[in-house]
Amino acid sequence: NIKLYPPFQIIPKLCFEFPLFILFFLVFTSFSNAAVFQLTKDTTIERNPAWSPDMNKIAYNYAIPNQTYKIHVRNADGSGKVALAGSSAFDQDPSWSPDGTKIAFSSNAETSYGNWHLWLMNADGSGARRIVGSAGDRNNYQYPNFGPDGKQVVYTQVSGSVTDIYIIDINSGVIRQLT
């Protein structure tokens, strides 16, 4: 027998998107019980949710109709939606730093060809800066994820038809290819 202490302890939540890209999250109250809650009720595309390390907030892509994607953050109960400044273009793929103070993301801002580059901003949307890519760079850098210590970001680089995984040290800017 498996016993949960305390009984019906909330086990980690899974946030996901469903048809029409409305965000939901799944709460496991026991190994045999689960409940699904709709997190957003907007009539736009919302996708790529990412939990904050303390599990109190969710960052996600929010489609501004006929304009762009921006990163928004809201409380885990669905309240308090805030648009983060990010860049001046399409922003997507948010990833929280382990301490919850930064968000890494992909953006096509300041690119000559509309490619995706990696950016970093404070969790309140301030201080956005590009960390991988340059204006004339035709590669795509996407799907960032912080390392456990928050000093490195792992990401995917697509160059033509070749996809590889890289790591960047945020402080030094040193990039290392993994695959």
Side-chain angles (χ1 to χ4, degrees), residues 25-58:
F25 68 88
L26 181 63
V27 178
F28 295 94
T29 55
S30 74
F31 286 107
S32 62
N33 294 323
V36 177
F37 299 93
Q38 184 174 346
L39 183 64
T40 62
K41 297 183 180 3
D42 298 317
T43 58
T44 186
I45 295 173
E46 298 162 317
R47 59 186 317 169
N48 299 342
W51 284 102
S52 64
D54 64 7
M55 304 273 297
N56 289 323
K57 295 189 179 294
I58 298 171

Side-chain angles (χ1 to χ4, degrees), residues 34-102:
V36 177
F37 299 93
Q38 184 174 346
L39 183 64
T40 62
K41 297 183 180 3
D42 298 317
T43 58
T44 186
I45 295 173
E46 298 162 317
R47 59 186 317 169
N48 299 342
W51 284 102
S52 64
D54 64 7
M55 304 273 297
N56 289 323
K57 295 189 179 294
I58 298 171
Y60 59 96
N61 299 354
Y62 180 87
I64 299 171
N66 301 318
Q67 292 183 34
T68 184
Y69 276 108
K70 287 297 182 196
I71 295 174
H72 284 215
V73 171
R74 66 170 71 218
N75 297 323
D77 66 3
S79 67
K81 180 174 87 172
V82 175
L84 301 185
S87 77
S88 60
F90 285 78
D91 300 335
Q92 64 180 20
D93 308 325
S95 174
W96 293 84
S97 63
D99 64 4
T101 63
K102 305 271 187 216

Side-chain angles (χ1 to χ4, degrees), residues 6-173:
F8 304 108
Q9 171 184 348
I10 292 182
I11 301 169
K13 306 168 196 173
L14 170 67
C15 193
F16 62 95
E17 56 191 71
F18 198 60
L20 302 177
F21 302 105
I22 297 170
L23 296 184
F24 291 82
F25 68 88
L26 181 63
V27 178
F28 295 94
T29 55
S30 74
F31 286 107
S32 62
N33 294 323
V36 177
F37 299 93
Q38 184 174 346
L39 183 64
T40 62
K41 297 183 180 3
D42 298 317
T43 58
T44 186
I45 295 173
E46 298 162 317
R47 59 186 317 169
N48 299 342
W51 284 102
S52 64
D54 64 7
M55 304 273 297
N56 289 323
K57 295 189 179 294
I58 298 171
Y60 59 96
N61 299 354
Y62 180 87
I64 299 171
N66 301 318
Q67 292 183 34
T68 184
Y69 276 108
K70 287 297 182 196
I71 295 174
H72 284 215
V73 171
R74 66 170 71 218
N75 297 323
D77 66 3
S79 67
K81 180 174 87 172
V82 175
L84 301 185
S87 77
S88 60
F90 285 78
D91 300 335
Q92 64 180 20
D93 308 325
S95 174
W96 293 84
S97 63
D99 64 4
T101 63
K102 305 271 187 216
I103 295 176
F105 62 100
S106 302
S107 178
N108 68 355
E110 301 177 14
T111 63
S112 300
Y113 304 101
N115 293 14
W116 297 100
H117 293 170
L118 292 190
W119 287 64
L120 184 68
M121 66 180 158
N122 296 322
D124 66 1
S126 66
R129 65 183 175 96
R130 183 174 24 206
I131 58 172
V132 177
S134 61
D137 189 344
R138 290 181 182 246
N139 293 324
N140 284 301
Y141 309 97
Q142 294 178 277
Y143 314 116
N145 278 291
F146 277 90
D149 65 3
K151 296 179 181 177
Q152 297 177 323
V153 173
V154 63
Y155 61 93
T156 299
Q157 175 181 318
V158 179
S159 182
S161 63
V162 178
T163 302
D164 287 302
I165 298 173
Y166 287 77
I167 288 183
I168 182 170
D169 181 284
I170 296 170
N171 295 324
S172 68

